[in-house]
Amino acid sequence: MDSSAAPSFSARDRLLTGLAAGLPAGGIWAAPAVVAVSGGADSTALLLGLVALAPPPARLVVAHAEHDLRASAAADREFVATLAARLGLPFVWRRLAVHAADGEAGTGIEARARRLRYRFLEEVAGEHGGRHVLVAHTAEDQAETILHRILRGTGPAGLAGMAVARELCAGVALIRPLLAVGRSDVREFLAAEAEAWREDESNADVRFARNFLRHEILARCAAGPYPAATAALVRLGRQAGQLAAALRSAAEHLLDTYARRRADGTIDLRTAPLAALDPYLLAEMFAVLWEREGWPRRDMTAVHYERLAALVRAADAVTGGITDYPGGVRVTPSTGGRLEMRPPG
């Protein structure tokens, strides 16, 4: 027997290893964890995998959002309720009126459903004392997200795709522990465990952007000249995320070095030492400043940050004059190579 041969991992081993690697290093089991389960293959595998990994007395809460979009939604809910009962887990569900969503006019139906779903998950976490909400996005979901952002238009940070973890609301983190796990591993795991799942027939409707990318673009790429398309996009996202993090770190360093906050909240930025720096880095510095200070960002665009970068690069050539930015931030170039930025109000 060749002792140098790579060990053979079962479908269960692959799924559980990938899932464990995607979980936070510590604290995940200290409080109830809310698991979003639609009944589809990915979320069913996520729940079963978490049950296998959770040490007693870890607590899992199964949360199911029933959208008013399909006739089969009630059957999906019954499937998840039965699964939770078999596993001995608490089950919480809510019917979400996507078609009648208040304050969602002008947005696509997918976006409305997503916002309502995450709002529901926030509330479940609050009601059960949960600190983590786990969702079942896979490597294919990540590839679709990155491709969608490329086609829609995005910067390096957007190319990173979905984060493994982000804040969902105060005190609650959203975790995507299956982002490095492929759908084929999910289905092989479920087949090996003899576990059923529900198929959402709307996933075949290519009128929806994600379904179009999944079936018309990525599937044809994988079946044709680009069999590793998903892996390539995920790798691009990982590299873009690393670059975006490095860029942000550099921007934060510049602010820590050259920006000073006065007692009235005004930011005094020394621009002379920054004038020779790359304008993209300077634009990122201002984006970080706006976020750090909690200034309104809704209407701030790349053009606004580029304009601020141009003021820095002009140094003493641009003095005097006052410019108001979205949200009421007032920027005043002054002599001595400085910018004064007064907060709203």
Side-chain angles (χ1 to χ4, degrees):
M1 181 177 182
D2 184 2
S3 60
S4 65
S8 175
F9 291 100
S10 68
R12 178 182 174 84
D13 291 333
R14 291 196 304 275
L15 189 286
L16 295 183
T17 299
L19 173 57
L23 293 173
I28 183 69
W29 307 119
V34 177
V35 189
V37 183
S38 67
D42 300 339
S43 62
T44 299
L46 171 64
L47 179 61
L48 293 170
L50 289 170
V51 168
L53 291 175
R59 291 163 291 170
L60 299 173
V61 177
V62 179
H64 176 77
E66 181 182 322
H67 302 113
D68 63 343
L69 302 175
R70 298 179 294 110
S72 59
D76 293 345
R77 181 235 308 157
E78 292 171 2
F79 171 85
V80 179
T82 300
L83 176 62
R86 174 160 62 87
L87 297 172
L89 301 175
F91 173 67
V92 183
W93 73 280
R94 182 174 302 165
R95 182 172 172 81
L96 303 180
V98 179
H99 285 301
D102 294 333
E104 303 288 345
T107 60
I109 196 167
E110 290 177 294
R112 293 201 303 276
R114 183 167 56 251
R115 288 170 186 162
L116 290 174
R117 185 165 62 250
Y118 282 133
R119 194 178 304 157
F120 161 64
L121 293 172
E122 289 178 23
E123 293 172 0
V124 174
E127 292 165 1
H128 290 264
R131 289 165 44 192
H132 299 88
V133 171
L134 298 104
V135 294
H137 294 121
T138 65
E140 282 80 3
D141 292 309
Q142 182 73 299
E144 291 160 13
T145 295
I146 294 168
L147 183 56
H148 173 67
R149 292 181 180 179
I150 290 172
L151 296 174
R152 187 183 59 185
T154 189
L159 280 178
M162 296 179 286
V164 174
R166 70 168 177 83
E167 183 181 70
L168 179 62
C169 60
V172 180
L174 180 74
I175 310 296
R176 300 181 176 99
L178 292 180
L179 273 186
V181 177
R183 288 192 185 122
S184 60
D185 284 335
V186 164
R187 281 154 178 75
E188 288 176 19
F189 166 76
L190 291 174
E193 299 292 305
E195 291 285 353
W197 66 87
R198 296 284 297 173
E199 288 288 358
D200 181 350
E201 64 273 14
S202 68
N203 285 337
D205 189 345
V206 295
R207 292 175 299 175
F208 296 116
R210 278 190 172 273
N211 293 342
F212 175 80
L213 294 176
R214 179 180 306 170
H215 300 296
E216 298 293 328
I217 305 298
L218 285 172
R220 295 176 69 176
C221 284
Y226 304 104
T230 292
L233 284 167
V234 171
R235 185 167 58 251
L236 171 65
R238 184 167 56 250
Q239 294 167 346
Q242 293 167 346
L243 288 173
L247 182 64
R248 182 183 178 91
S249 178
E252 290 175 339
H253 174 72
L254 294 178
L255 289 174
D256 292 340
T257 304
Y258 299 110
R260 179 176 62 89
R261 184 186 295 105
R262 299 177 186 169
D264 65 354
T266 296
I267 300 296
D268 184 16
L269 179 69
R270 289 192 290 134
T271 59
L274 305 174
L277 295 181
D278 184 88
Y280 194 88
L281 173 58
L282 295 175
E284 177 69 10
M285 179 189 70
F286 284 108
V288 172
L289 174 63
W290 251 250
E291 179 182 342
R292 179 185 287 188
E293 294 300 313
W295 294 343
R297 292 185 290 154
R298 179 182 178 88
D299 296 320
M300 286 290 289
T301 67
V303 172
H304 293 110
Y305 296 123
E306 290 166 4
R307 188 182 302 159
L308 288 162
L311 286 176
V312 172
R313 287 171 60 81
D316 285 334
V318 179
T319 58
I322 296 174
T323 303
D324 290 327
Y325 280 77
V329 177
R330 176 160 289 192
V331 179
T332 307
S334 62
T335 57
R338 313 184 93 81
L339 279 182
E340 293 181 356
M341 289 166 281
R342 189 175 300 277

